Amino acid sequence: MMTPLHHSDYTLKNRAFNCRMRNRYYEEVYYAFRSLLPADSTADSTGNDMDPAWFQNLSEQVRQYERLITKCLEYAQAAIFYGKADYATLYSKDKRWGILQEEIFLVHFLQELLSTIHYIITRIDTDQMLQKWSTSIQDMKAKPVGNGFVSSIQEKLSAMSAATIEEFKDLLKHVLDRFQIGNTLFGTVQELQNFY
């Protein structure tokens, strides 16, 4: 007859599972992020020409990316017993199950990524609303009734739309730069953790 596992054994098995899932989702998060970048974007260059199709598809891609980051963050928080300090043992005291400082920092890194993606989603939603409004203004211009202000607003909206695309490219480039830090953390965590 098998002896039942102690609560701490369950806790440790859950930690191993959460660490493995966090690692799996982190890799998915990174590769999904790379797919968000425009075709002309690299780590060294942002390019000057923007493919309009890229920007049109960005909204759905970013929402899928948000779901991946959220999942990864949930597992990362569970892996370090986020908010449950009584379960936490540091790596310096327990080389097998202890929590690395890099794991804690990885949680904060993922929280920052999620915050940035929420900002981008809000900006995309706002931009789409402004584009609809711009289309309705275009319809107003077609009517013979005075349209002096309408033309001016239309020009400003077009200029703002072009600036918004460049802003998204810039934001994504900054996130790519941050991933250099995140990938270093992730590499350290993978190297030191060996749950079996």
Side-chain angles (χ1 to χ4, degrees):
M1 181 181 198
M2 276 181 32
T3 22
L5 292 170
H6 298 296
H7 177 72
S8 60
D9 293 334
Y10 284 121
T11 303
L12 297 178
K13 285 186 182 294
N14 284 341
R15 171 156 161 70
F17 170 78
N18 287 319
C19 286
R20 283 193 291 270
M21 293 303 287
R22 173 204 61 208
N23 294 354
R24 184 185 130 210
Y25 273 100
Y26 182 84
E27 289 178 6
E28 285 187 41
V29 162
Y30 178 68
Y31 291 115
F33 172 75
R34 296 293 299 204
S35 73
L36 289 178
L37 299 173
D40 66 351
S41 180
T42 66
D44 303 319
S45 142
T46 55
N48 294 325
D49 299 325
M50 176 55 61
D51 177 8
W54 169 80
F55 190 64
Q56 294 300 318
N57 295 326
L58 188 61
S59 177
E60 183 54 36
Q61 288 181 311
V62 167
R63 281 173 171 74
Q64 290 171 357
Y65 183 65
E66 176 194 26
R67 288 189 284 276
L68 280 177
I69 292 177
T70 301
K71 262 305 194 204
C72 186
L73 178 58
E74 286 170 5
Y75 284 117
Q77 288 174 328
I80 65 166
F81 311 115
Y82 195 72
K84 298 175 184 171
D86 51 327
Y87 288 122
T89 303
L90 293 180
Y91 182 78
S92 58
K93 294 181 181 174
D94 181 352
K95 297 289 188 223
R96 175 135 189 258
W97 296 105
I99 295 169
L100 297 161
Q101 292 296 325
E102 287 84 354
E103 288 182 275
I104 296 167
F105 194 73
L106 191 60
V107 167
H108 296 300
F109 171 74
L110 291 167
Q111 287 171 330
E112 184 193 6
L113 278 184
L114 189 57
S115 172
T116 303
I117 290 304
H118 285 159
Y119 171 76
I120 290 173
I121 288 171
T122 303
R123 286 298 314 276
I124 288 171
D125 290 345
T126 303
D127 185 70
Q128 287 174 343
M129 181 187 66
L130 287 173
Q131 291 305 317
K132 286 178 186 170
W133 191 55
S134 178
T135 302
S136 70
I137 287 177
Q138 188 67 32
D139 294 342
M140 288 169 73
K141 278 173 65 176
K143 296 178 182 172
V145 183
N147 61 14
F149 292 114
V150 172
S151 294
S152 175
I153 292 171
Q154 183 74 36
E155 288 170 16
K156 287 182 176 30
L157 284 173
S158 296
M160 190 170 80
S161 182
T164 298
I165 291 174
E166 288 305 312
E167 183 181 347
F168 282 126
K169 282 179 70 177
D170 194 44
L171 270 170
L172 292 174
K173 170 104 171 61
H174 287 301
V175 173
L176 183 60
D177 292 341
R178 286 189 182 112
F179 260 113
Q180 291 178 356
I181 297 167
N183 290 347
T184 302
L185 288 169
F186 183 65
T188 303
V189 167
Q190 279 196 312
E191 184 181 327
L192 293 175
Q193 286 181 334
N194 185 20
F195 299 126
Y196 45 86

